[in-house]
Amino acid sequence: MPTVSVKRDLLFQALGKKYTDEEFDELCFEFGLELDEITSEKDIISREQGDVRAAGASDVVLYKIDVPANRYDLLCLEGLVRGLQVFKQKIEAPYYRRVGATDGKPQRFIITQETAVLRPHAVAAVLRNITFTQERYDSFIELQEKLHQNICRKRSLVAIGTHDLDTISGPFTYTAKAPDDICFKPLNQKEESTATELMRLYKNDSHLRHYLHIIEDEPHYPIIYDSNGVVLSMPPIINGDHSKISLKTKNVFIECTATDLTKAKIVLDMMVTMFSEYCAKPFTVEEVEVVCPDGSTCLYPDLAYRKELISGDTINQKVGIKESAESLARLLTRMCLKAEVTGKADEIEVEIPPTRSDVIHACDIMEDAAMAYGFNNIARTKPKTYTIANQLPLNKLSELLRLELAAAGFTEALTFALCSQEDIADKLGKKISDSRAVHISNPKTAEFQVARTTLLPGLLKTLAANRKLPLPLKLFEISDVVLKDDTTGMCMYVGARNNRRLCAVFYNKIPGFEVIHGLLDRVMQLLDVKPSRDQGYYIQAASDSIFFPGRCAEIISHGKSVGCLGVLHPDVINRFELTMPCSALDLDIEPFL
Amino acid sequence: MADAGLAESVLERLEKLDCGVDSQDVASVLSVDHQAIVGAVKSLQSLGELISAEQRSSKHWELTAEGKEIVEQGSHEARVFNAIPTEGLSQTDLMKLPSGKVGFSKAMSNKWIRLDKGHESGPRVFRMVESIEDTVQDKLVQVQKGLTGKLDEKEKNELKKRKLLSEVTVKSYWLTKGPSFSTTVTKQETDLTAEMIASGTWRDKKFKPYNFEALGVPPECGHLHPLMKVRTQFRQIFLEMGFTEMPTNNFIESSFWNFDSLFQPQQHPARDQHDTFFLSDPAVAKDFPMDYLERVKKVHSEGGYGSQGYKYDWKLEEAQKNLLRTHTTAVSARMLYKLAQQGKFTPVKYFSIDRVFRNETLDATHLAEFHQIEGVVADYGLTLGDLMGVLHQFFTKLGLKKWVEVGNSGVFRPEMLLPMGIPEGVSVIAWGLSLERPTMIKYGINNIRELVGHKVNLQMVYDSPICRLDS
């Protein structure tokens, strides 16, 4: 959930009303938002960097508001205020219009073939005769940043560039060039540099370095020129200094380059619907003609309105309320979804504006109706669904065995399913290549390199962390390990499967093989498996690097190997930072289902 | 009992007296060590109310070994004085005397003797007075006679400094007859035995009282882990509500089931390397129900089923990527798909509680793996009101209504259900929460590392109470 921080007084001024914190919190809740925190710049700096740094910072009250992830129309003060005012029925939702250029010739934005492999899409628009103030300007910049971080996926999907149109002249060309062939003065720098130099320079930039990887390894970088060869921007990294906007800028040229055209259209629509409010003709946006490499042209911004028909009955049924179609239409209109009854039965026609890109299905309309109705006003009902419950047999068996193991004097441990390669291989005297472990490709630390193939390391680490407790220590765990498995199953096939194991350890001054052996006998007794060569279970000498030579046995049940037990090898004991003898039991319980 | 005979002697002594007696006096009368009397008193006390003994302490002065020697032989200075003949004694010889060193300096400061350093045969000591009065010896004699009172505090402290006297604290008992005083001692039994029961002798015996203040001996037993105890309770709640357990024993999942089937777009931040553990081996899943996969692809990239879709280039390679499941909802998706394949739809209620994995930054409340609790209901005509109703029932069973805040809930989207083949008109409501959070609240644990993993203190496991969520 993105958090938007707005100045409280500015917000109340725009809303035309002062609220107490509680009242505003309540309003947020009704509108599906959450007032997360009430703070100030001073508070934030003081908390993060200490009081000394905070001295002199602004103590203007800030509201931090959590906004649902796909509500890009609420990411700035302008959008929040508009949404709340419509919700409170103070204003009607504006109608956003794309208009032609005054001279009839739209700005042209030409995409060349070279961009195809990199960022093939671009859209653009012009905000004509806009009036910035410091607050509006800050909000304009902040919205770009918010969009970049959210829908634009840190500029990888879409990158926004904004320019003072009066400093440049179209048509504009969006192309790609070798980094050494690109040379311009980037935003807020004094010198011209080549793209190669810039990438080196920005390696140490706390903000920009996060975006370099998007194009860094490409032979060509995207670049936008005006008709005089002035660089507008090198997306998705940096704009040119020449065309930068300021408080005095009157006409803003906005371009978005993208790998995802749908998202580029949404991002451009958001920028212009939010800030066209400050144009001489509010909520109008001047079109730009985008020319694709194949010669086809499109006019942007999209600003598409879509209509959906939905019956009042459907909404009532899904939400669990009984409202008239007219009443539902009024509720939807308050959510910026202009709705009218058509007169055909209880049919409602809903108009989805370009600001509500999150509404992609009738279910989204129903959700908004429910929210406007008030979730807390919906009567809680019991589903009439009648079902008989069943336990998963494997879990049922595990639960029953857990109780019995505790009754047998062993204490339950709860260890991690992820661990290091060392834990399941080196420390047990085995090679990782011989294991059937699944490997994680992106672990942040060695603790998460593999999924465990045995429960033993977890128990031994638990012993090591509890060496101060009185001996003997008796531990068990019944849980899953993960093994690579190439057996194809019904659409379950991912190349690995879980295996439910029972593992127990006995740690004392004496090895206690007879104790762990006795535990095996007890478990088998509980599973109703008799000691027998043919019709039950037996153990036979085996060798394994985990165990001391001659002190290891394999467990055979109904002719199949189901586990092992023995006295741990002193090397294994040492590698787990233990000092006493230890015996262990490792049993696959799935054959006993 | 230390010495039954001595205890009876104490009782006999006490019987002759009307008031009480100090245990020290008893010791001196009976000519035994005081400690033996103390032992006898203690064993008498354990027999009930034969006697009452009030502890008291007294201080008195005693001669040290050196003090006793002085009583017999005189003080060191006196001994030095007496050793010097009229013609004097060489200092070297004087120093060889046992009392030489101490006695010399004391006798000098008393001006009993003088030292002639310039004497022709070397330094020589002479008497300065005719006779002396050995006051140190006199005082010590007084102490020995028990007449310590004749000495003032300053004198006593002076002698204490010279290590001739020491002050001794004696703990003794003031003994009086108890309510059930008797001169005969019946031996008390520590405990009932099989023989006493067989012979009936228990009837005539007296038994030592138990100390009910002490704790008992802890039973030898194993213990269940608190998180697993809470898991058992949650399982119980779901079973009571008629929910069937889903098979969640598959930690490894494909991106397809973990994300795509849930209508989670391929560019969603949750699918980022920073949030999800992907696998390098086995890196990809190969086997999918292809017709369903095509429908999923279509609803993402083009829409359909009444949806606009996300309108992006959906890639099979992205869906194939194996990962450690980030939620058990991947299993819910598989179960709902399976349900849709069975021909005629039947309503279901499913639940699961199992491990999920996130490649998150670890802190006091976040680990890379945790347990997710999930409930799912699928039926025709379920409403948002039903979701809120079933959540209310669930959380009422947990005993705390505020716990709604620890989880989230919702209605599955048509773009997820319809491609599976779930009939239109069927709604699926679901909710989820972590097992760790309510457990930490329940057991008052602030750091998740104190609850889960190999570093937990087993003593916490040993000591944790049973879990009854509704109380």
Side-chain angles (χ1 to χ4, degrees):
Chain A
M1 255 193 190
T3 304
V4 181
S5 79
V6 291
K7 291 179 180 161
R8 183 191 62 186
D9 295 347
L10 224 53
L11 177 71
F12 289 172
Q13 190 190 329
L15 289 172
K17 187 182 167 184
K18 280 190 180 169
Y19 293 83
T20 64
D21 292 341
E22 291 74 29
E23 284 167 349
F24 190 73
D25 186 39
E26 179 63 24
L27 177 62
C28 281
F29 177 78
E30 285 172 15
F31 193 55
L33 307 175
E34 197 186 326
L35 179 57
D36 184 47
E37 200 187 351
I38 302 162
T39 180
S40 72
E41 232 166 82
K42 196 173 195 166
D43 278 351
I44 296 170
I45 299 173
S46 144
R47 193 174 48 208
E48 289 169 0
Q49 302 170 28
D51 290 337
V52 182
R53 290 277 185 96
S58 157
D59 45 17
V60 170
V61 178
L62 293 178
Y63 275 175
K64 289 201 153 189
I65 302 169
D66 277 349
V67 174
N70 50 5
R71 288 298 298 271
Y72 312 115
D73 59 320
L74 303 176
L75 288 178
C76 61
L77 178 79
E78 288 74 14
L80 267 176
V81 168
R82 212 174 294 161
L84 287 168
Q85 292 292 72
V86 173
F87 182 66
K88 299 291 285 179
Q89 293 169 286
K90 297 269 176 63
I91 60 167
E92 274 188 35
Y95 192 85
Y96 308 99
R97 276 190 309 136
R98 184 175 72 209
V99 296
T102 34
D103 58 0
K105 289 182 196 158
Q107 292 290 344
R108 298 180 81 223
F109 191 88
I110 300 157
I111 307 175
T112 72
Q113 186 59 46
E114 285 78 9
T115 63
V117 290
L118 275 168
R119 294 174 87 73
H121 309 291
V123 294
V126 172
L127 289 173
R128 192 61 81 175
N129 290 317
I130 196 166
T131 307
F132 278 126
T133 62
Q134 188 64 49
E135 274 90 18
R136 291 171 183 183
Y137 179 85
D138 291 346
S139 178
F140 186 73
I141 302 295
E142 181 65 19
L143 177 63
Q144 284 181 60
E145 182 55 21
K146 280 274 184 296
L147 291 169
H148 274 152
Q149 291 311 312
N150 290 284
I151 183 174
C152 302
R153 299 288 295 117
K154 299 188 174 124
R155 302 193 189 180
S156 62
L157 300 182
V158 186
I160 311 163
T162 55
H163 311 276
D164 186 336
L165 183 58
D166 298 322
T167 64
I168 44 180
S169 63
F172 306 100
T173 306
Y174 170 41
T175 186
K177 278 189 167 184
D180 285 331
D181 297 340
I182 297 171
C183 189
F184 68 105
K185 190 162 90 176
L187 194 61
N188 302 329
Q189 295 287 333
K190 294 195 172 68
E191 303 291 328
E192 285 199 351
S193 315
T194 66
T196 314
E197 289 163 346
L198 282 180
M199 295 298 269
R200 212 176 297 133
L201 175 69
Y202 293 143
K203 272 267 186 292
N204 300 316
D205 186 298
S206 63
H207 180 57
L208 293 177
R209 65 189 165 97
H210 301 293
Y211 309 119
L212 303 182
H213 72 97
I214 303 171
I215 57 167
E216 204 169 23
D217 298 330
E218 301 290 340
H220 294 95
Y221 290 175
I223 186 88
I224 303 171
Y225 293 102
D226 83 345
S227 60
N228 298 319
V230 171
V231 169
L232 273 68
S233 65
M234 185 174 82
I237 312 296
I238 190 81
N239 287 351
D241 193 61
H242 181 90
S243 59
K244 72 176 172 199
I245 62 166
S246 69
L247 281 182
K248 290 177 193 143
T249 299
K250 295 309 291 178
N251 299 300
V252 181
F253 182 75
I254 306 174
E255 39 84 6
C256 302
T257 56
T259 55
D260 182 319
L261 180 60
T262 311
K263 290 206 160 50
K265 289 180 192 174
I266 294 170
V267 168
L268 183 65
D269 279 357
M270 286 305 155
M271 288 301 297
V272 299
T273 53
M274 293 301 117
F275 287 91
S276 56
E277 183 176 351
Y278 303 132
C279 288
K281 289 179 190 156
F283 307 116
T284 65
V285 187
E286 186 179 305
E287 67 193 13
V288 170
E289 186 181 71
V290 173
V291 184
C292 296
D294 65 2
S296 64
T297 61
C298 292
L299 289 175
Y300 290 107
D302 217 17
L303 294 182
Y305 281 77
R306 186 176 94 241
K307 286 189 172 160
E308 292 253 5
L309 291 172
I310 187 167
S311 82
D313 190 43
T314 312
I315 297 179
N316 281 328
Q317 270 187 18
K318 292 281 179 189
V319 179
I321 51 175
K322 285 180 184 141
E323 290 290 298
S324 68
E326 289 78 7
S327 161
L328 290 170
R330 275 195 298 278
L331 290 175
L332 288 169
T333 303
R334 288 176 58 197
M335 301 302 288
C336 286
L337 299 174
K338 203 173 145 202
E340 282 166 354
V341 293
T342 61
K344 276 183 243 161
D346 62 347
E347 192 180 66
I348 305 167
E349 187 184 71
V350 185
E351 187 180 56
I352 295 115
T355 44
R356 292 300 307 273
S357 59
D358 59 303
V359 178
I360 59 172
H361 192 278
C363 69
D364 298 309
I365 297 172
M366 292 179 230
E367 190 186 349
D368 268 25
M371 192 184 293
Y373 182 83
F375 284 121
N376 286 346
N377 299 326
I378 301 170
R380 289 169 182 170
T381 46
K382 273 186 216 164
K384 58 191 182 313
T385 312
Y386 177 80
T387 50
I388 302 291
N390 286 305
Q391 302 185 48
L392 188 74
L394 182 60
N395 290 359
K396 185 176 182 174
L397 176 64
S398 302
E399 284 284 291
L400 293 170
L401 281 177
R402 283 176 57 238
L403 293 173
E404 294 288 353
L405 283 164
F410 283 72
T411 289
E412 185 173 36
L414 178 66
T415 66
F416 297 126
L418 305 184
C419 58
S420 66
Q421 292 185 11
E422 199 188 15
D423 284 341
I424 56 163
D426 312 44
K427 285 186 178 177
L428 299 179
K430 294 181 186 294
K431 277 194 210 149
I432 190 72
S433 52
D434 294 339
S435 77
R436 291 164 68 192
V438 303
H439 291 255
I440 293 165
S441 64
N442 56 333
K444 283 182 184 144
T445 70
E447 290 168 274
F448 312 119
Q449 289 173 326
V450 290
R452 63 183 173 198
T453 52
T454 157
L455 301 177
L456 186 63
L459 291 185
L460 295 180
K461 288 196 278 184
T462 309
L463 288 178
N466 285 279
R467 280 178 308 194
K468 282 184 195 152
L469 291 183
L471 295 174
L473 284 169
K474 296 195 265 185
L475 299 181
F476 81 94
E477 185 169 14
I478 299 180
S479 190
D480 286 350
V481 302
V482 182
L483 304 170
K484 274 198 285 187
D485 189 343
D486 279 337
T487 327
T488 315
M490 223 269 299
C491 8
M492 285 293 283
Y493 178 70
V494 290
R497 66 174 171 87
N498 280 24
N499 179 214
R500 185 73 43 96
R501 293 279 183 83
L502 182 166
C503 190
V505 290
F506 177 80
Y507 182 66
N508 200 3
K509 285 172 188 152
I510 47 143
F513 179 83
E514 66 288 354
V515 176
I516 219 77
H517 188 190
L519 184 70
L520 170 69
D521 294 336
R522 174 65 183 147
V523 169
M524 286 301 182
Q525 190 176 47
L526 292 164
L527 293 169
D528 200 16
V529 181
K530 306 267 185 303
S532 150
R533 287 252 152 200
D534 316 316
Q535 296 299 312
Y537 78 99
Y538 63 94
I539 64 172
Q540 66 183 23
S543 82
D544 187 310
S545 59
I546 296 174
F547 298 103
F548 199 45
R551 298 281 183 275
C552 166
E554 191 178 14
I555 306 158
I556 314 287
S557 172
H558 295 95
K560 272 168 48 184
S561 173
V562 292
C564 56
L565 74 167
V567 176
L568 294 190
H569 197 285
D571 286 343
V572 174
I573 290 172
N574 282 333
R575 289 186 201 115
F576 282 94
E577 291 162 28
L578 295 170
T579 50
M580 301 278 167
C582 181
S583 52
L585 163 67
D586 183 0
L587 183 68
D588 179 358
I589 64 166
E590 290 180 21
F592 304 100
L593 276 174
Chain B
M1 190 165 297
D3 182 350
L6 187 58
E8 282 185 13
S9 306
V10 171
L11 291 172
E12 279 160 17
R13 179 85 201 138
L14 202 52
E15 199 196 12
K16 291 175 194 150
L17 299 164
D18 290 328
C19 50
V21 64
D22 191 282
S23 54
Q24 274 191 294
D25 294 342
V26 179
S28 60
V29 170
L30 296 176
S31 309
V32 292
D33 187 57
H34 183 242
Q35 277 311 308
I37 298 296
V38 170
V41 167
K42 282 195 173 155
S43 67
L44 284 171
Q45 277 180 307
S46 72
L47 300 177
E49 297 184 309
L50 273 176
I51 59 162
S52 79
E54 189 190 323
Q55 201 174 33
R56 42 169 67 175
S57 64
S58 62
K59 285 182 180 177
H60 71 262
W61 293 91
E62 256 179 24
L63 294 180
T64 62
E66 197 182 346
K68 284 175 187 160
E69 184 191 309
I70 287 171
V71 168
E72 284 167 20
Q73 301 177 19
S75 67
H76 298 293
E77 52 270 37
R79 277 184 262 170
V80 163
F81 179 83
N82 292 332
I84 299 171
T86 35
E87 66 274 22
L89 188 65
S90 82
Q91 193 182 13
T92 324
D93 289 345
L94 185 136
M95 285 302 169
K96 284 176 189 160
L97 295 170
S99 298
K101 275 183 189 164
V102 188
F104 173 72
S105 58
K106 278 279 168 193
M108 284 290 284
S109 71
N110 284 352
K111 298 210 167 28
W112 290 350
I113 54 173
R114 67 178 171 86
L115 176 65
D116 181 0
K117 281 186 186 165
H119 198 272
E120 55 198 15
S121 59
R124 205 168 175 87
V125 184
F126 295 94
R127 286 190 182 187
M128 273 179 82
V129 290
E130 281 303 309
S131 64
I132 54 157
E133 195 184 332
D134 191 352
T135 53
V136 172
Q137 187 185 32
D138 294 346
K139 286 175 195 164
L140 291 176
V141 168
Q142 297 282 4
V143 173
Q144 197 181 35
K145 285 181 184 161
L147 304 169
T148 319
K150 294 203 169 170
L151 274 61
D152 62 30
E153 284 305 305
K154 200 182 156 197
E155 288 171 324
K156 281 185 275 193
N157 284 326
E158 175 75 15
L159 293 169
K160 188 181 169 187
K161 230 186 224 170
R162 286 187 68 175
K163 298 203 169 106
L164 304 177
L165 270 191
S166 67
E167 195 174 23
V168 183
T169 306
V170 179
K171 290 216 163 114
S172 62
Y173 290 95
W174 181 253
L175 304 174
T176 50
K177 291 171 191 163
S180 51
F181 181 80
S182 150
T183 49
T184 52
V185 177
T186 326
K187 192 185 166 224
Q188 280 189 316
E189 299 296 337
T190 37
D191 243 328
L192 199 59
T193 64
E195 289 86 345
M196 291 178 202
I197 294 169
S199 61
T201 50
W202 58 270
R203 292 171 201 280
D204 312 319
K205 307 245 181 217
K206 288 206 170 171
F207 291 88
K208 261 191 183 175
Y210 279 169
N211 175 11
F212 293 117
E213 298 297 319
L215 289 176
V217 179
E220 273 189 37
C221 60
H223 310 262
L224 294 174
H225 192 281
L227 190 78
M228 296 294 98
K229 291 198 264 199
V230 179
R231 184 180 73 174
T232 302
Q233 289 310 304
F234 272 100
R235 257 183 115 242
Q236 187 67 31
I237 287 173
F238 276 115
L239 293 170
E240 284 165 7
M241 291 173 73
F243 283 66
T244 284
E245 194 168 27
M246 293 189 271
T248 45
N249 53 330
N250 60 319
F251 295 166
I252 309 301
E253 190 51 278
S254 61
S255 293
F256 179 77
W257 288 106
N258 196 78
F259 295 125
D260 297 284
S261 72
L262 305 172
F263 199 50
Q264 181 101 272
Q266 294 190 327
Q267 312 87 345
H268 193 278
R271 301 178 73 151
D272 200 285
Q273 297 272 331
H274 295 295
D275 292 287
T276 299
F277 287 116
F278 289 95
L279 295 196
S280 56
D281 182 24
V284 293
K286 292 163 195 160
D287 198 4
F288 300 101
M290 287 315 287
D291 50 344
Y292 169 52
L293 181 132
E294 284 303 322
R295 294 195 293 273
V296 169
K297 174 180 178 172
K298 194 167 176 212
V299 77
H300 278 246
S301 53
E302 297 169 34
Y305 309 99
S307 175
Q308 299 295 305
Y310 293 123
K311 299 197 175 79
Y312 69 97
D313 187 12
W314 189 90
K315 293 193 175 78
L316 176 64
E317 305 85 79
E318 203 57 48
Q320 282 182 317
K321 286 183 183 169
N322 273 337
L323 44 79
L324 279 149
R325 67 166 177 231
T326 61
H327 45 205
T328 48
T329 319
V331 177
S332 307
R334 283 181 182 270
M335 291 299 282
L336 290 168
Y337 172 74
K338 201 173 146 199
L339 176 69
Q341 306 314 298
Q342 72 178 19
K344 190 182 180 304
F345 174 84
T346 47
V348 294
K349 292 194 289 206
Y350 289 140
F351 84 94
S352 64
I353 310 168
D354 212 335
R355 293 184 198 235
V356 297
F357 305 85
R358 305 275 169 92
N359 196 4
E360 278 184 310
T361 310
L362 312 183
D363 60 32
T365 53
H366 293 89
L367 289 175
E369 54 187 277
F370 63 95
H371 290 74
Q372 186 190 338
I373 302 169
E374 183 167 347
V376 179
V377 186
D379 200 355
Y380 283 100
L382 291 174
T383 67
L384 267 181
D386 287 336
L387 171 62
M388 289 160 58
V390 77
L391 273 179
H392 179 72
Q393 286 183 316
F394 180 77
F395 284 103
T396 302
K397 275 189 169 285
L398 296 187
L400 273 176
K401 277 162 202 168
K402 273 200 171 174
W403 283 12
V404 179
E405 285 176 22
V406 304
N408 52 44
S409 64
V411 183
F412 282 141
R413 294 185 68 92
E415 293 99 324
M416 167 185 165
L417 302 176
L418 297 175
M420 289 175 170
I422 296 283
E424 213 151 340
V426 168
S427 290
V428 183
I429 57 179
W431 73 97
L433 62 154
S434 88
L435 176 64
E436 281 77 357
R437 190 81 199 107
T439 305
M440 287 166 78
I441 296 170
K442 175 85 195 163
Y443 286 98
I445 295 169
N446 292 321
N447 188 337
I448 195 162
R449 287 180 183 79
E450 288 166 21
L451 176 69
V452 187
H454 56 266
K455 285 185 183 147
V456 302
N457 183 350
L458 286 173
Q459 195 64 48
M460 179 278 292
V461 177
Y462 295 167
D463 297 343
S464 76
I466 54 172
C467 171
R468 286 167 296 175
L469 287 173
D470 53 357
S471 65

